Amino acid sequence: RTQQLKLFLLSPRANLALAFLRAALLFALILRFIPRELFRPRAIATAAAMLLPFLLTIATTQVARADMPSKELLDELRSRLSPTPTCLPTCASSARMRIEAHPHTLRARIEIDVAASTAVPLPGSPAQWMPDTITVDGKPAMALVRINDTLWLQLSPGPHQVLLDGPIADRESVQLALKLKPHRVESSLEGWTLDGVHEDAIADDNVQLTRVHLAAHTGPTNSASKTEPIQPTTLPPFVRVERTISFGLTRQATTRIFRITPPGTAIVLEIPLLQGEAVLNADVHVNSGKAQINMAPTATEVEWKSALDEKATSIVLTAPSALTWVEVWRYDASPIWHVETAGPRVVHPEASATLPEWHPWPGEKLTLSVTRPSGVSGQTITIDSSILTFTPGVRTTEALLVLKIRASRGGDHIVKIPDGSRLESLTISGKKVPPLQEGRNVTLPLVPGQQEVTLALGIPSGIANFYRAPSIDLGLPNVNVATTIVPGNRWVLFAYGPTLGPAVLFWSLFLVLLVMAVGLGHVKFAPVPTHEWFLLGVGLSQLHIAAAAVVIGWLLVLGWRNAKPELGLWSFNLRQLTIIGWTLVAVVVLIVGVSHGLLGNPEMQIRGNQSSAYSLQWFQDRAANTPDAPWVISVPMIAYRAVMLAWALWLAFALLRWFAWGWRALGTGGFWKHPPPRPRPAPPPSREQQEAAKGAAQTQGVIVSAPAAKPTPKEQ
């Protein structure tokens, strides 16, 4: 705003002369660079023909003009020249307000301090009370506007005294909405009471004037006032107060107020509290045992919670005699309390309702006698199931313990973890709880009912060749105990634990392979000793049993081929083809077996309780405080790789011998049999032979009729 601009402007005529000059200079520059040959008539005509469409396009083009300056630029300049006050929306505040109420008039004096020019809302509305005169610093207000039943007054910066004055209609109550709430409210009342202002002179968002009716008075009676008709007004406020009392670990009361009359007017009430009731909501003010409730014109519900006296043996609820509200009572008692009622009968609620409910008449009382049944000796905590998962690492073990607990009463339960362990996290019913650990003891804060407790532990012991699961004392005998050990990248050899758990079935297969090797070693026609049969079976045990049968059958068929080389023609050849195909399949199986042994994981055939080589699971239906700890014998995976490498090297040397022997066995008696050659038919006799035979027959007196020979091509 402090910057100044100096503009040197040319007139439109000077600007036109400069435009012609620019055009002439540009034309001269173009002529300077055009070769002279182009000035011939034919060249000029060609150039004119080429420029004609361009000139026509320019002639028909309409010039578009943009609006300058644009609306965005104007808005930006306006925001820079007239910036929004930085004090918004608190440019005005009211330090004090004084309300003077008389039987028929109301006056409000408000002190307002304004930091920047702004509009302030004034109390009053057409439905309740509107001032007749409004003065600002002793002068009539000039800038007034009504928006949505609210009066707004324009004020300049500085302190101001605003005076509102107007008559009050003949009505029972008047509500004033203080949208610009003063820091202090004073009052001078005659024939009225003021609600919504606390003892420290701080007001709520709405205040209410209630007319005072004298039961008896002295002095002459004004007959005119008796006959004067009462002006029609809005319905007085009417609400429903619902009190719900809860008896659990603590006693609490929840009070909800519902508006019954139509919204549009503020409601200011004083609701009596119960004996020993302490309101817990900070926004609810209490004065003389009553909760001061202030509902905005658009509010339909108000709620607050309270704490009740824990030592009281009875609670008395009394329905008010006032006509401003009705009450509904309910109570919710946990199984640890016994409640007896005395007073009106229970109203049968809806079918979906679960709490007893009362709808009292004015003045009725309900007494709730509360007693706590004495406990019986016995166990108050039951562990329905426990799941322990151990994931051992190189140096530490991650343990996860999940407990499902039922408790008949709240309290602390102690779980003892292994020495040196650290409680990393504690979760109860899905909510994280700060870890409570002292040495080995972990404290579980339990509440009545069923809950799930999860403990994450760090145990300072890692995996070893012999690994036993750490012992955890659950503090109580328990049932349904599931223990899981995740061995990781290890070769599991043995596993032992409770009754229902995994079993390493490889060792039973190991014995079967030993017996089979002894039997196959006695087969004479197969040159494979017993120990080689055993080594072959152990290596192929990592594959399916059918794969091992293919290789063993291949060696036996080769031995049978060597022992019985003679067969029929077709049987011999079919056997040769079968052996060749079988050999190819056996080679593929051996390659897969070596690859799986060197690159895959060991197949120890671990079965039982849904266990595998990567998850060993045990289950106990009943256990003591400390469940039985299973153990596992395992070695690093590098040991398995070394064993399978040694087996692969042995197999390579054995195959050299087996292939040499198999080739000789396959060639015993020949590799292939061919059928014997067929005899050739005798050629027909020639003509000379036929004549010689005929002459000999005649000489001997025998007539021989020879078949007529086919004429040769020469004869034809």
Side-chain angles (χ1 to χ4, degrees):
R1 288 177 294 180
T2 60
Q3 291 181 354
Q4 304 243 343
L5 298 178
K6 292 183 180 181
L7 302 178
F8 299 92
L9 304 178
L10 295 177
S11 64
R13 293 182 180 179
N15 193 20
L16 179 61
L18 290 177
F20 278 107
L21 180 60
R22 286 195 300 270
L25 292 176
L26 179 61
F27 184 72
L29 180 63
I30 295 174
L31 293 178
R32 176 66 180 82
F33 287 98
I34 295 178
R36 295 181 179 180
E37 291 78 5
L38 297 180
F39 288 100
R40 296 175 182 177
R42 183 177 296 178
I44 294 175
T46 304
M50 296 176 62
L51 291 176
L52 182 60
F54 177 71
L55 295 176
L56 292 177
T57 304
I58 295 177
T60 57
T61 302
Q62 296 181 356
V63 178
R65 300 183 61 184
D67 295 335
M68 283 296 294
S70 64
K71 184 178 182 301
E72 292 77 9
L73 181 58
L74 291 175
D75 294 340
E76 178 68 19
L77 294 175
R78 184 182 298 109
S79 63
R80 292 184 181 183
L81 294 176
S82 56
T84 304
T86 58
C87 60
L88 287 179
T90 58
C91 290
S93 64
S94 177
R96 185 173 61 171
M97 176 181 180
R98 181 176 178 81
I99 299 176
E100 298 177 1
H102 299 282
H104 300 288
T105 59
L106 175 62
R107 175 179 295 177
R109 187 183 302 273
I110 310 173
E111 295 180 1
I112 302 177
D113 294 324
V114 181
S117 180
T118 185
V120 297
L122 300 179
S125 63
Q128 298 294 327
W129 173 78
M130 288 292 288
D132 283 348
T133 60
I134 301 175
T135 61
V136 179
D137 300 330
K139 299 179 182 180
M142 301 302 295
L144 280 171
V145 66
R146 191 175 75 178
I147 302 175
N148 296 331
D149 295 337
T150 301
L151 277 175
W152 292 84
L153 174 63
Q154 179 74 24
L155 294 177
S156 59
H160 299 281
Q161 292 281 341
V162 180
L163 180 63
L164 310 177
D165 195 354
I168 302 179
D170 291 337
R171 54 189 305 166
E172 294 295 328
S173 61
V174 176
Q175 290 86 24
L176 298 178
L178 305 180
K179 296 187 177 180
L180 181 63
K181 189 164 60 174
H183 297 289
R184 181 178 179 82
V185 176
E186 301 174 355
S187 61
S188 176
L189 307 174
E190 180 182 350
W192 298 87
T193 59
L194 181 62
D195 298 322
V197 180
H198 309 298
E199 61 276 3
D200 54 359
I202 297 178
D204 293 328
D205 294 336
N206 299 275
V207 296
Q208 177 174 298
L209 291 168
T210 306
R211 192 180 294 275
V212 178
H213 296 276
L214 299 178
H217 59 86
T218 59
T221 304
N222 189 357
S223 59
S225 64
K226 290 184 178 181
T227 59
E228 184 179 355
I230 299 178
Q231 298 182 5
T233 60
T234 59
L235 290 173
F238 193 77
V239 297
R240 182 177 74 253
V241 179
E242 296 184 359
R243 302 179 191 263
T244 303
I245 302 176
S246 302
F247 300 100
L249 291 179
T250 59
R251 300 183 185 183
Q252 290 186 348
T254 302
T255 305
R256 303 178 67 184
I257 300 178
F258 297 92
R259 181 195 293 265
I260 296 179
T261 52
T265 59
I267 298 178
V268 180
L269 295 174
E270 289 186 347
I271 306 298
L273 301 179
L274 302 177
Q275 185 69 28
E277 181 179 358
V279 178
L280 302 178
N281 294 55
D283 55 346
V284 177
H285 300 278
V286 178
N287 186 16
S288 301
K290 297 180 179 180
Q292 298 181 350
I293 304 304
N294 196 312
M295 297 181 65
T298 57
T300 59
E301 179 182 344
V302 174
E303 178 181 349
W304 75 82
K305 295 184 180 295
S306 307
L308 301 179
D309 187 6
E310 300 288 341
K311 298 181 180 179
T313 58
S314 63
I315 298 176
V316 179
L317 296 93
T318 304
S321 300
L323 300 178
T324 312
W325 73 84
V326 294
E327 295 203 5
V328 177
W329 301 330
R330 304 184 188 94
Y331 81 84
D332 183 9
S334 66
I336 64 175
W337 297 99
H338 178 67
V339 181
E340 294 182 355
T341 62
R345 293 183 177 273
V346 177
V347 175
H348 294 286
E350 299 179 359
S352 59
T354 58
L355 302 180
E357 187 173 300
W358 287 266
H359 294 244
W361 288 80
E364 288 186 336
K365 292 185 178 181
L366 175 65
T367 303
L368 302 178
S369 300
V370 184
T371 57
R372 187 166 186 172
S374 58
V376 296
S377 59
Q379 185 174 320
T380 60
I381 300 176
T382 300
I383 301 178
D384 291 333
S385 67
S386 60
I387 302 175
L388 294 91
T389 304
F390 299 98
T391 306
V394 178
R395 297 180 180 84
T396 60
T397 297
E398 295 180 1
L400 186 67
L401 173 61
V402 180
L403 302 174
K404 290 186 177 180
I405 301 177
R406 283 184 295 119
S408 58
R409 66 178 183 179
D412 294 337
H413 181 67
I414 304 298
V415 173
K416 294 185 178 181
I417 60 178
D419 291 331
S421 301
R422 182 182 69 260
L423 178 61
E424 296 179 351
S425 65
L426 175 61
T427 305
I428 299 179
S429 299
K431 297 181 180 179
K432 288 190 175 182
V433 178
L436 304 174
Q437 179 183 1
E438 293 182 2
R440 291 187 57 194
N441 297 335
V442 175
T443 303
L444 307 180
L446 304 179
V447 297
Q450 188 172 2
Q451 52 227 289
E452 183 175 290
V453 181
T454 304
L455 295 88
L457 307 174
I459 302 175
S461 60
I463 193 67
N465 294 338
F466 179 82
Y467 178 80
R468 182 182 293 274
S471 299
I472 299 178
D473 187 356
L474 302 181
L476 287 173
N478 52 97
V479 296
N480 301 327
V481 181
T483 304
T484 302
I485 296 179
V486 181
N489 194 22
R490 304 276 297 183
W491 183 15
V492 178
L493 301 179
F494 296 95
Y496 180 79
T499 306
L500 183 59
V504 182
L505 302 181
F506 173 79
W507 301 113
S508 58
L509 177 63
F510 187 85
L511 296 177
V512 173
L513 293 176
L514 181 60
V515 174
M516 291 181 59
V518 173
L520 293 173
H522 289 78
V523 177
K524 301 299 183 180
F525 54 79
V528 180
T530 301
H531 68 280
E532 290 189 354
W533 283 115
F534 178 70
L535 291 177
L536 180 63
V538 170
L540 295 178
S541 65
Q542 302 301 303
L543 302 178
H544 193 271
I545 188 172
V550 168
V551 178
I552 295 175
W554 169 62
L555 294 174
L556 294 177
V557 167
L558 283 176
W560 171 63
R561 167 67 179 85
N562 188 36
K564 293 185 177 182
E566 297 299 333
L567 284 178
L569 174 64
W570 296 108
S571 299
F572 182 88
N573 293 338
L574 180 61
R575 184 177 64 178
Q576 294 291 94
L577 293 176
T578 302
I579 292 176
I580 293 173
W582 204 326
T583 302
L584 296 177
V585 175
V587 170
V588 172
V589 170
L590 291 174
I591 293 174
V592 173
V594 172
S595 175
H596 185 274
L598 295 178
L599 303 177
N601 295 323
E603 178 57 48
M604 299 300 290
Q605 300 186 17
I606 299 176
R607 304 290 185 271
N609 194 28
Q610 300 180 355
S611 299
S612 65
Y614 310 101
S615 178
L616 307 175
Q617 303 179 16
W618 288 269
F619 179 79
Q620 291 177 264
D621 54 353
R622 294 180 179 272
N625 294 12
T626 303
D628 296 339
W631 53 264
V632 178
I633 296 178
S634 63
V635 294
M637 191 61 68
I638 190 65
Y640 172 75
R641 299 282 185 263
V643 171
M644 294 308 297
L645 178 60
W647 179 80
L649 294 176
W650 166 82
L651 180 64
F653 288 104
L655 283 176
L656 294 177
R657 292 184 285 104
W658 294 345
F659 279 139
W661 164 76
W663 180 257
R664 292 192 300 271
L666 188 64
T668 302
F671 290 98
W672 192 261
K673 285 188 177 183
H674 299 279
R678 295 180 181 180
R680 296 182 179 180
S686 62
R687 192 175 189 86
E688 292 77 6
Q689 292 177 350
Q690 292 180 1
E691 292 178 354
K694 186 176 180 180
Q698 291 178 357
T699 302
Q700 296 177 2
V702 179
I703 299 175
V704 179
S705 59
K710 293 182 180 181
T712 61
K714 292 182 179 181
E715 294 177 347
Q716 291 178 354

